[in-house]
Amino acid sequence: MALTLKRLNESFAIHRLSKESDIPAQVFTAPIYFIAKTFNEVSIVLPDTIKIKSDAVEPNWRALEVVGPLDFSLTGILSRIATLLANESISIFAISTFDTDYILVKKEAIAAAITTLKLNDYSVIE
């Protein structure tokens, strides 16, 4: 099943903090952000315009949102997109939420990612 994706206007940075770190207050002022904490680290994804102190940062990511909400019974959505992009040597950073998935690709690869998805029957809103 091919779906519709929407390119977000924001450019994102992926931050890594130690597992003991407090979440910087400015994260919560961002219009969109993602936070994940594991036993080893804290990852924060937020627009490049929001600057925080982190142990490591990977800037210049663009995001494609799978237009949802998606039903939990659907399978293979992220897998198919990841496979199509991997076949074109396009690296991704995937984020899933309750309603949908986000696929982040480096800024220089966004045009190729969109072209690949369109050639494989996905609709992409730019």
Side-chain angles (χ1 to χ4, degrees), residues 8 32 34 63-66 93-97 100-104:
L8 302 185
I32 182 171
F34 305 92
L64 296 167
E65 173 187 357
V66 179
F93 186 91
I95 301 170
S96 294
T97 69
T100 194
D101 296 315
Y102 294 82
I103 297 86
L104 279 69

Side-chain angles (χ1 to χ4, degrees), residues 88-119:
E88 298 299 320
S89 299
I90 299 171
S91 179
I92 69 165
F93 186 91
I95 301 170
S96 294
T97 69
F98 191 92
D99 284 339
T100 194
D101 296 315
Y102 294 82
I103 297 86
L104 279 69
V105 299
K106 290 298 276 186
K107 184 178 181 178
E108 60 271 10
I110 191 69
I114 290 170
T115 297
T116 297
L117 292 168
K118 285 181 176 179
L119 289 172

Side-chain angles (χ1 to χ4, degrees), residues 1-5 66 77 80-81 84 117 120-123:
M1 167 178 59
L3 299 169
T4 298
L5 292 95
V66 179
I77 293 170
R80 181 161 189 260
I81 292 170
L84 290 170
L117 292 168
N120 287 278
D121 300 322
Y122 285 88
S123 174

Side-chain angles (χ1 to χ4, degrees), residues 9 19 37 92 96 111 126:
N9 292 327
K19 66 182 180 181
K37 182 175 183 179
I92 69 165
S96 294
E126 296 184 68

